[in-house]
Amino acid sequence: MATAAVTAASTLTVTSGTASAATGSCADIDVTYAMGTQFGPSEPSDPDPVYDALVAAIDTRLGGTKTVSYHRVNYPASLEPWSASVGNWDLVRHIEAQAAACPNQKFAAVGYSQGANVVSNSVGVGSLGSLTGAPIVAVIPANIEPRVAALVLYGSPQRGIPLYKPTTITGTYRARTLDDCATGDPACGGGVDPAAHLSYSRPEHSVPAADFIAVRI
């Protein structure tokens, strides 16, 4: 993996969601999102339907009772073999910086497709060997781990090739993880419906994710 690529990814870019997101202050919860692999217009990065649906669902679910800040992981989301490692680096560095600046803030990390590999790497669950997997280069420190309220994985490639698994996150984070695999999704469930892998912007995925996060903060 190119050192320059990881160094570049350490520059943090915080992107707010809707108007309810806390800007320039310490929100109650900071939600970090890692997008899926960018193959072209079928998985656009901006707008990103999965991210937009998640933000809308969280804002609706919390209804102004909690403040939320959002960070979109700064990484290539490409087929380069180091791509997920760059995202892993950015995600961990962001949470470390937020934790230091905002001692009472809690965190949620959400990853879609390759972004699920990014999240898994960041909690010490290796993705190398799965589709778009890459080596772990950083892990959320143990002193911050209790503040990570929720993980959400959409269409995690680690559940699919080479052998279907019911979940990928084990250990400390297991009870805090929603590992969502759409019926027919070939990336995570061994299905044969490519459209299923593009379905995570639908309410049947975004609303349960928002609920899962909301009850844990």
Side-chain angles (χ1 to χ4, degrees):
M1 177 179 52
T3 302
V6 174
T7 302
S10 65
T11 302
L12 303 178
T13 305
V14 179
T15 305
S16 294
T18 65
S20 69
T23 304
S25 63
C26 291
D28 295 315
I29 184 166
D30 184 81
V31 179
T32 301
Y33 170 82
M35 65 184 175
T37 306
Q38 299 303 287
F39 292 108
S42 64
E43 290 185 305
S45 61
D46 193 14
D48 180 335
V50 176
Y51 171 75
D52 292 343
L54 175 72
V55 170
I58 290 173
D59 287 352
T60 298
R61 175 63 172 78
L62 293 176
T65 60
K66 300 282 186 179
T67 55
V68 188
S69 56
Y70 296 91
H71 171 73
R72 293 180 67 179
V73 173
N74 182 13
Y75 85 115
S78 69
L79 294 176
E80 296 290 349
W82 41 260
S83 175
S85 293
V86 175
N88 168 203
W89 180 270
D90 181 78
L91 188 154
V92 173
R93 295 290 87 85
H94 171 74
I95 287 181
E96 287 181 325
Q98 285 296 117
C102 303
N104 297 316
Q105 190 170 66
K106 292 186 178 182
F107 303 99
V110 181
Y112 165 46
S113 193
Q114 183 178 168
N117 290 337
V118 170
V119 172
S120 296
N121 279 13
S122 300
V123 297
V125 178
S127 65
L128 195 61
S130 66
L131 289 172
T132 63
I136 296 171
V137 296
V139 176
I140 295 170
N143 66 311
I144 300 175
E145 173 266 316
R147 296 167 59 183
V148 180
L151 306 177
V152 176
L153 308 181
Y154 289 133
S156 173
Q158 292 171 267
R159 290 181 58 171
I161 297 172
L163 185 67
Y164 173 75
K165 308 173 190 67
T167 188
T168 57
I169 303 296
T170 58
T172 304
Y173 286 96
R174 180 65 195 101
R176 289 175 265 171
T177 301
L178 175 63
D179 200 339
D180 184 2
C181 181
T183 301
D185 187 340
C188 60
V192 294
D193 181 9
H197 192 62
L198 303 176
S199 70
Y200 294 98
S201 61
R202 295 177 183 171
E204 58 262 37
H205 299 288
S206 59
V207 171
D211 289 343
F212 188 83
I213 292 169
V215 299
R216 285 165 174 78
I217 58 174

